[in-house]
């Protein structure tokens, strides 16, 4: 529940000028923007209501946070398949502890209660989770969990298997049309209601119109320099919803995953928490296992605790990273249980069966987003949101490991059901927007993106303080109103504007929350706990 809603940074309503009477357009009963777990579940649910569904994926369906997810799905299964000591209330308790006082208890219990049924849907669509030689589902444990309740697939490629099965089901469904490499620029509203989006594909602007719209665009990790996210995670859904007048909340809570492979010049490969769940330990540069000094659960403490401990060790020792030691688990086990990590490290010359892995935290998952109810409905009529782009109240100030795909499943299905029930032909839509002045000539967009990501990492990163947050807010405001003003003509420019807006929103939220809680660490905090839910609305004009 939002307890404090204030105006956020100003923004233009649309990023470009258009007149729908002069633009090609597609029509559907239900429009889904996003091709990850939430979007695909929503599309399948809406289509099962007999509605024509159009899915727009920014890249391919292999390029999403879901597809890149390694660890698994947290779920309390039926009594025959779960651990004897586990039940829904234990999972609820673990989620609330990780969320540091900002979870909505009723929402947590409601969403987790539908988890097992959602997993059954995945299995019906052909998703194959790992099983033992005897045929039993293999469950693992991750940080913050009191029991082994994490389902996984192909060792450490759970997200890819989920997307494979759902994408195959969507592609085979006669009422679902999927368009890949379609970049949604702005949410269209007509009379205050969502009417679709305008998107860019093959150097052409197209309007996608629908009776109901579902945003499932994923996260914004690429706003930070160090990130586990794919290049598509630039916060587009957050930005377009904000420009359209939707209420956003808890934007300061970017979760920094404790363990990503840290090699200069290399991609920040996620080292799944499941590896620590199987027994890998963190060590500092002198070989000391340090996590027992920070938390009773050691390596299996909640992610925000482990991340802060790693940063503390880096600061204390002056060494640029820490080490993850899995050598005692043996080559055969590591190769079979974590094939993706084993092979990726081998390509970099690291045999994880004999050598420690250099690791450092990176931006991973955004706990805030577009405010929705427990059915995915937003503050804009006929607009739903599901997955990482949404803020339901499940995660609070820090997401419990492997609750993300779970939420995408449950909320994607719910949003698809309700948007499917309400969806239908879009009717006559006549929207236009004035053409803004052209963007500045000669602007080096890639350089400005690098500057933005570096500043967000330094000033709005793992540890924050008032002085640096003020610098970030002023810098972002200047870049938005000067270098990135006006109308761009390609995806890179629109992504830049989205990233700057999202960065500005996060910095403003982090500046307002003066106390540390969950993933939001204020180095200048006086130690008070602040469990206010901070919401944001646009400032420049009334919601359309």
């Amino acid at each position: 529940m939002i307890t404090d809603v204030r105006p956020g940074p100003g923004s233009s309503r649309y990023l470009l000028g258009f007149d729908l009477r002069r633009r090609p357009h597609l029509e559907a009963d239900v429009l889904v923007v996003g091709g990850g777990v939430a979007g695909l579940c929503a599309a399948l649910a809406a289509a099962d209501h007999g509605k024509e569904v159009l899915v727009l994926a920014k890249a391919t369906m292999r390029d999403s946070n879901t597809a890149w997810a390694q660890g698994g799905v947290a779920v309390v299964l039926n009594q025959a398949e779960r651990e004897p000591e586990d039940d829904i209330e234990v999972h609820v308790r673990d989620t609330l502890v990780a969320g540091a006082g900002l979870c909505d208890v009723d929402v947590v219990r409601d969403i987790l209660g539908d988890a097992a049924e959602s997993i059954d849907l995945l299995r019906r669509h052909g998703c194959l989770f790992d099983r033992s030689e005897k045929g039993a589902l293999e469950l693992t444990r991750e940080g913050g969990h009191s029991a082994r309740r994490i389902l996984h697939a192909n060792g450490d490629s759970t997200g890819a298997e989920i997307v494979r099965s759902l994408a195959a089901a969507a592609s085979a469904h006669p009422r679902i049309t999927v368009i890949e490499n379609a970049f949604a620029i702005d949410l269209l509203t007509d009379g205050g209601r969502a009417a679709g989006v305008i998107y860019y594909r093959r150097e052409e602007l197209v309007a996608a119109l629908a009776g109901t719209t579902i945003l499932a665009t994923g996260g914004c990790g690429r706003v930070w320099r160090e990130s586990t996210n794919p290049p598509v995670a630039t916060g587009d859904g957050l930005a377009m919803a904000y420009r359209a007048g939707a209420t956003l909340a808890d934007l300061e809570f970017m979760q920094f995953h404790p363990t990503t492979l840290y090699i200069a010049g290399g991609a920040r490969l996620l080292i799944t928490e499941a590896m620590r769940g199987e027994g890998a330990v963190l060590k500092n540069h002198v070989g000391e296992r340090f996590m027992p000094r920070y938390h009773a659960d050691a390596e299996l403490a909640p992610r925000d605790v482990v991340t802060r401990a790693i940063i503390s060790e880096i600061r204390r020792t002056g060494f640029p990273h820490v080490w993850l030691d899995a050598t005692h688990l043996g080559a055969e086990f590591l190769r079979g249980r974590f094939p993706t990590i084993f092979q990726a490290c081998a390509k970099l010359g690291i045999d994880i069966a004999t050598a420690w892995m250099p690791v450092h935290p990176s931006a991973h998952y955004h706990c805030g987003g577009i405010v929705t109810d427990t059915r995915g409905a937003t503050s804009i009529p006929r607009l739903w949101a599901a997955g990482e782009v949404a803020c339901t109240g499940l995660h609070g100030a820090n997401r419990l490991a492997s609750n993300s795909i779970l939420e995408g499943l449950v909320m994607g299905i719910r949003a698809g059901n309700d948007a499917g029930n309400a969806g239908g032909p879009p009717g006559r839509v006549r929207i236009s927007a004035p053409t803004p002045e052209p963007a500045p000539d000669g602007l080096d967009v890639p350089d400005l993106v690098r500057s933005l990501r570096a500043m967000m990492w330094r000033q709005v990163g793992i540890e924050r303080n008032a002085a640096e947050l003020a610098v970030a807010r002023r810098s972002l405001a200047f870049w938005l109103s000067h270098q990135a003003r006006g109308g761009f003509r390609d995806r890179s420019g629109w992504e830049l504007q989205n990233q700057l807006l999202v960065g500005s929103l996060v910095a403003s939220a982090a500046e307002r929350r003066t106390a540390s809680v969950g993933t939001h660490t204020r180095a200048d905090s006086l130690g008070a706990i602040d469990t206010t839910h901070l919401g944001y609305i646009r400032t420049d004009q009334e919601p359309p």
Side-chain angles (χ1 to χ4, degrees), residues 164-203:
R164 180 204 63 77
S165 61
L166 292 176
S171 298
H173 202 295
R175 288 187 292 276
I176 297 177
T177 300
V178 177
I179 301 179
E180 296 184 318
N181 300 304
F183 176 68
I185 302 169
D186 263 314
L187 181 69
L188 299 171
T189 51
D190 188 18
R193 301 187 301 178
V197 301
I198 189 162
Y199 71 92
Y200 180 75
R201 185 172 187 263
R202 295 178 178 173
E203 300 185 356

Side-chain angles (χ1 to χ4, degrees), residues 206-259:
V206 182
L209 306 177
T212 54
T213 300
I214 303 171
L215 291 181
T217 52
C220 57
R222 298 293 286 197
V223 174
W224 283 261
R225 187 188 71 201
E226 308 290 341
S227 175
T228 65
N229 290 183
V232 295
T234 52
D236 308 315
L238 284 176
M240 71 174 80
Y242 180 75
R243 287 192 294 268
T247 302
L248 314 183
D250 293 348
L251 302 178
E252 60 273 35
F253 298 121
M254 167 54 72
Q255 183 179 78
F256 295 87
H257 196 286
T259 52

Side-chain angles (χ1 to χ4, degrees), residues 277-519:
E278 297 292 355
V281 296
L282 288 162
K283 296 180 177 179
N284 58 27
H285 82 291
V286 297
E288 175 202 6
R289 183 187 176 197
F290 59 85
M291 275 309 302
R293 288 195 277 107
Y294 290 91
H295 196 278
D297 291 332
E299 282 79 9
L300 293 181
R303 285 179 177 172
D304 59 325
V305 175
V306 180
T307 291
R308 284 193 295 271
I310 290 173
I311 294 302
S312 178
E313 285 298 302
I314 289 172
R315 182 186 299 110
R316 186 179 68 84
T317 63
F319 203 69
H321 60 78
V322 297
W323 303 94
L324 185 65
D325 178 9
T327 57
H328 55 286
L329 299 178
E332 182 178 357
F333 176 80
L334 291 169
R335 189 181 294 109
R337 178 66 179 84
F338 303 106
T340 301
I341 296 171
F342 194 95
Q343 294 167 17
C345 287
K347 290 179 181 178
L348 296 169
I350 302 172
D351 178 0
I352 65 174
T354 60
W356 302 348
M357 291 165 275
V359 294
H360 190 287
S362 293
H364 180 60
Y365 185 91
H366 194 216
C367 299
I370 305 166
V371 175
T372 75
D373 63 15
T374 56
R375 305 296 302 180
T378 74
S379 59
I380 297 178
R382 296 192 172 274
L383 177 68
W384 282 256
E388 189 173 352
V389 74
C391 180
T392 61
L394 172 65
H395 305 307
N398 176 55
R399 175 175 66 84
L400 180 65
S402 289
N403 268 1
S404 54
I405 292 181
L406 162 65
E407 183 187 41
L409 283 168
V410 173
M411 294 304 297
I413 293 168
R414 291 179 179 182
N417 282 330
D418 288 8
N421 279 328
R428 183 182 176 90
V429 179
R430 295 291 183 264
I431 306 171
S432 62
T435 300
E437 62 178 282
D441 289 334
L443 179 65
D444 189 338
V445 171
D447 182 65
L448 187 50
V449 170
R450 287 191 294 270
S451 297
L452 161 69
R453 297 182 68 200
M455 188 190 66
M456 290 295 291
W457 181 251
R458 291 192 308 267
Q459 270 82 35
V460 199
I462 297 169
E463 291 186 343
R464 304 157 176 178
N465 63 63
E468 292 186 340
L469 289 170
V471 168
R473 173 175 47 79
R474 290 194 296 266
S475 298
L476 287 161
F478 182 82
W479 289 341
L480 274 168
S481 60
H482 291 80
Q483 287 97 322
R485 73 182 188 279
F488 287 86
R489 300 175 64 86
D490 59 23
R491 169 175 157 172
S492 65
W494 298 317
E495 278 188 334
L496 168 65
Q497 290 175 312
N498 287 339
Q499 287 175 286
L500 286 170
L501 178 56
V502 170
S504 182
L505 284 162
V506 172
S508 296
E511 191 174 23
R512 279 179 57 197
R513 189 178 292 280
T514 58
S516 295
V517 58
T519 64

Side-chain angles (χ1 to χ4, degrees), residues 68 222 226-228 260-270 348:
W68 281 35
R222 298 293 286 197
E226 308 290 341
S227 175
T228 65
T260 54
L261 194 65
Y262 191 74
I263 296 178
R268 295 298 180 249
L269 173 70
L270 176 70
L348 296 169

